[in-house]
Amino acid sequence: MFNIERWQEIFEAIAKNKLRTFLTGISVASGIFILVILLGAGRGLQNGIQKQFERDADGLISVWSGTTTKEYKGLNPGRQIQFRNSDYDVSVQKFKNQLNIKSANYIFWSGILVYGKETGNYRYIGVYPDYLAVENATVIEGRFINERDVLNSEKVTVIGQKVKLDLFKDKSPIGEQLSIDNINFKVVGVFTDPAGEREETRVYIPLTTTQQAFGVGDKISVLDFTLSKKETYEEALAQSNQFTEELGQLLRSKNTVAPGDNGAIDINSSIKNVKQFYDLNLYIRLFFWWVGICTIIAGVVGVSNIMLIIVKERTKEIGIRKALGASPLSIIGMILHESIFITTISGFVGLISSLALLELVGPQIQSDYFLNPEVDFGVALTTLVILVFAGALAGFFPAYRAAQIKPIIALRDE
């Protein structure tokens, strides 16, 4: 146990080696400081990655058509493949027992929207009702496109919050007439999107209405699906791989496309991207831990060196203590107390400084892939354990050496 005399001895020992103790303390504090900052940065990267994947539904599988790059069945490369309603219907029919979310869309990348005297150029998209879940968007006024709208090809629209602010200002748009490329639509809802303002410049209308009103026939731009949930990531990945393989075969066969011609039909599964990003994030965090711990080790070596010097300078005192009956264990405890004290105080300074910096600077950092760097309580507790262990380790070898000093030899020391 620490008593007043023990504390006095520790402070006296430190006072005799002010410069060495200060430099060693700086080394330990900087080690903890760097470790916590790096771990906070790692969490910031993880938060940024998670934010990116909040933009769309979990495990989203999207299918695009393009231009063939391979000759197949006598057909030359360079053919433009165009998805149609039948591609969506046959896909849903074959995989209906596996699907959780299913949707298709047709995209107009630019269109003139007019409300009263206000005019703007925005993207409008024909969609099915599940498209709200595909985009992970939220309706904040009114409602989204429903099955009745699609079945009856209703001229209704759901607009993004940015479109509302641009064209309707503070007025509620629900029930108002909005002209989209000279065709009037009734506004039935307003949505917000976690991806931000860019996605909120979009306008959604029923896919069937899009195909009829704007003369695109039965064309479709993108197919979107998510699969039923699985217990583990490995099961979900295996399910996704099998589904994308079978779906690719189905659509390539239907559109006379060579197997493996990704230029003609490209399928992207976000669950694979999630695994890649999280693996990368794990490697980054492990690297940060490695750099931080190496820095701490450098500080520990410094503490160990200063304790060796202290033991050398107190050899005669140690000899007297042993001559008066001090046990080797008490000598080890004396040195360990001093080592742990120096390390812990220095470490706390580094820990508090780094947490304060993350708290002050973290919220000011604005980046798509770096968000809210922080260190949770578990990590802070881990660094505290590392501090105590490092202090004990730094002092053990000098303490053990001190305990082995024979009193007669120590008393002769000058």
Side-chain angles (χ1 to χ4, degrees), residues 235-356:
E235 290 178 330
L237 180 60
Q239 179 193 39
S240 175
N241 288 338
Q242 180 178 356
F243 175 78
T244 54
E245 179 66 26
E246 293 179 1
L247 179 63
Q249 291 176 358
L250 173 67
L251 293 176
R252 290 186 180 97
S253 175
K254 183 178 181 301
N255 290 277
T256 319
V257 173
D261 190 348
N262 294 330
I265 295 178
D266 186 25
I267 304 176
N268 178 66
S269 173
S270 66
I271 193 169
K272 298 178 182 179
N273 298 336
V274 170
K275 183 65 165 62
Q276 294 172 354
F277 275 113
Y278 275 92
D279 282 348
L280 175 61
N281 185 64
L282 173 63
Y283 299 146
I284 291 173
R285 293 177 66 187
L286 290 176
F287 175 73
F288 286 169
W289 269 103
W290 172 252
V291 172
I293 289 176
C294 286
T295 309
I296 291 176
I297 290 174
V300 169
V301 171
V303 173
S304 183
N305 288 336
I306 194 174
M307 296 313 299
L308 286 171
I309 294 172
I310 290 175
V311 168
K312 178 65 177 176
E313 293 178 347
R314 299 174 64 184
T315 299
K316 196 165 187 176
E317 175 194 339
I318 292 171
I320 295 173
R321 286 176 179 271
K322 297 191 71 173
L324 294 176
S327 66
L329 187 60
S330 67
I331 299 298
I332 291 176
M334 177 183 69
I335 303 300
L336 283 180
H337 286 163
E338 297 172 8
S339 174
I340 293 174
F341 179 81
I342 294 172
T343 308
T344 303
I345 293 300
S346 303
F348 266 118
V349 171
L351 177 62
I352 294 172
S353 300
S354 58
L355 291 176

Side-chain angles (χ1 to χ4, degrees), residues 61-66 80-88 103-109 123-128 131 207 210-211 216-225 251 264-267:
I61 298 171
S62 297
V63 192
W64 295 273
S65 61
Q80 181 66 40
I81 302 300
Q82 175 64 62
F83 285 149
R84 299 185 179 276
N85 289 341
S86 58
D87 292 289
Y88 174 76
S103 186
N105 64 66
Y106 189 86
I107 304 172
F108 284 90
W109 297 97
R123 182 189 311 180
Y124 60 99
I125 307 173
V127 300
Y128 284 138
Y131 197 75
L207 178 59
T210 305
Q211 293 172 334
V216 297
D218 61 349
K219 294 180 180 179
I220 289 176
S221 299
V222 184
L223 310 178
D224 292 303
F225 304 104
L251 293 176
I265 295 178
D266 186 25
I267 304 176

Side-chain angles (χ1 to χ4, degrees), residues 156-172:
V156 295
T157 182
V158 180
I159 64 176
Q161 189 173 26
K162 182 66 168 59
V163 178
K164 173 195 170 183
L165 295 175
D166 289 348
L167 300 183
F168 294 88
K169 310 304 180 185
D170 295 329
K171 181 179 179 180
S172 173

